Amino acid sequence: MSLKRRLPFLRWSVLRMATGARNITTTGQIGDGREAAAVDYVLAHARAGDVDDVLARIDEFAYSKSLLINVGDEKGALLDAAVRRADPARVLELGTYCGYSALRIARAAPAARVYSVELAEANAANARRIWEHAGVADRVTCVVGTIGDGGRTLDALATQHGFTAGTLDFMFLDHDKDAYLADLRSVLDRGWLRRGAIVVADNVKVPGAPRYREYMHAEQGSRWDTVEHKTHVEYQSLVTDLVLESEFLG
């Protein structure tokens, strides 16, 4: 592994990301055009209809061009394994970004319908281009909105996409870390999660979702059965992270 991979702070795109932190929270993008550039790179270099190659080219871009804030290859393998264990028919993802994790989910669960909620229309447009190129656009839907918008997005999922009690098999949380717990509770209030459903949460250590982690610890063995996976922040091996995988006990 190259020095820049092991020591991400040597990479200009990482330093640029730090200065764009405010952009991430308000626009969903870092602010230097890297997300659109990643899409252009994939469309130029990945074989159309080849999910594996599309994912590989996104990872290649994130390592060699500009760091991306999707789940990445190392943590993506944990996500893949959790999806296969759940064998879901219906998946809800919070936080689409460039569409990378939804693509991994669609690959791991080829019979599933994947619904990804994204705050930023620009991210949704980028993700749709990725999914179309990979050949999964018929199975993956981006819903522009946020769970914390007073119920509008939840209502849209229910009325337009068929979310009803006990029909949700898998959730992936990779959006605003401060919203993890509130958004999970909103979904629980709707009764959508079936018993045995799995919820995976990224970046629980960095940047961190302490209230979500505390909740899962408090509910361990009663409402949830949680495993904490020790791993690294995406696309480097210096900074450690946690991915939480929680089975809903009902």
Side-chain angles (χ1 to χ4, degrees):
M1 181 179 289
S2 72
L3 187 61
K4 284 188 177 181
R5 285 197 183 191
R6 289 188 292 108
L7 301 176
F9 304 112
L10 296 177
R11 300 178 60 188
W12 165 246
S13 66
V14 176
L15 297 174
R16 176 65 185 84
M17 185 179 70
T19 64
R22 182 173 297 178
N23 288 327
I24 296 170
T25 59
T26 57
T27 70
Q29 298 189 349
I30 292 167
D32 58 3
R34 71 182 67 191
E35 293 84 9
V39 177
D40 290 342
Y41 185 86
V42 168
L43 269 58
H45 295 90
R47 292 183 295 273
D50 188 331
V51 175
D52 292 343
D53 198 42
V54 171
L55 287 167
R57 298 292 78 77
I58 297 173
D59 289 334
E60 183 177 85
F61 180 92
Y63 277 121
S64 65
K65 305 293 183 183
S66 295
L67 184 75
L68 299 172
I69 56 171
N70 47 244
V71 67
D73 51 350
E74 180 185 355
K75 291 187 289 185
L78 296 172
L79 176 62
D80 295 347
V83 172
R84 293 189 182 107
R85 278 190 286 274
D87 189 23
R90 182 181 296 266
V91 174
L92 178 62
E93 173 185 63
L94 304 185
T96 308
Y97 194 45
C98 294
Y100 176 91
S101 50
L103 190 55
R104 292 195 78 111
I105 293 168
R107 181 180 64 173
R113 289 287 313 187
V114 182
Y115 298 89
S116 186
V117 174
E118 169 59 42
L119 173 66
E121 178 60 55
N123 282 342
N126 285 335
R128 290 173 185 136
R129 293 178 69 197
I130 292 282
W131 300 334
E132 183 70 31
H133 191 74
V136 301
D138 60 329
R139 299 191 285 117
V140 186
T141 300
C142 189
V143 178
V144 177
T146 175
I147 300 302
D149 62 5
R152 290 188 300 276
T153 297
L154 289 169
D155 288 345
L157 289 168
T159 60
Q160 299 174 29
H161 303 293
F163 279 68
T164 59
T167 61
L168 182 56
D169 307 301
F170 191 92
M171 279 186 69
F172 180 49
L173 308 180
D174 195 15
H175 60 314
D176 178 1
K177 314 312 167 189
D178 291 336
Y180 278 15
L181 182 54
D183 289 355
L184 176 63
R185 282 175 163 158
S186 293
V187 171
L188 287 170
D189 288 345
R190 295 269 174 150
W192 290 348
L193 280 172
R194 68 164 176 82
R195 182 176 296 180
I198 291 177
V199 178
V200 171
D202 188 20
N203 300 123
V204 175
K205 182 177 180 182
V206 177
R211 287 177 294 178
Y212 180 87
R213 190 182 184 195
E214 290 167 4
Y215 165 80
M216 285 302 179
H217 283 179
E219 298 290 336
Q220 176 66 19
S222 56
R223 203 172 194 191
W224 296 94
D225 181 20
T226 297
V227 175
E228 295 192 347
H229 299 284
K230 295 180 180 179
T231 181
H232 298 92
V233 171
E234 45 270 19
Y235 298 119
Q236 53 82 51
S237 59
L238 179 65
V239 181
T240 59
D241 199 0
L242 285 173
V243 170
L244 266 58
E245 178 183 346
S246 304
E247 180 183 349
F248 182 51
L249 303 178

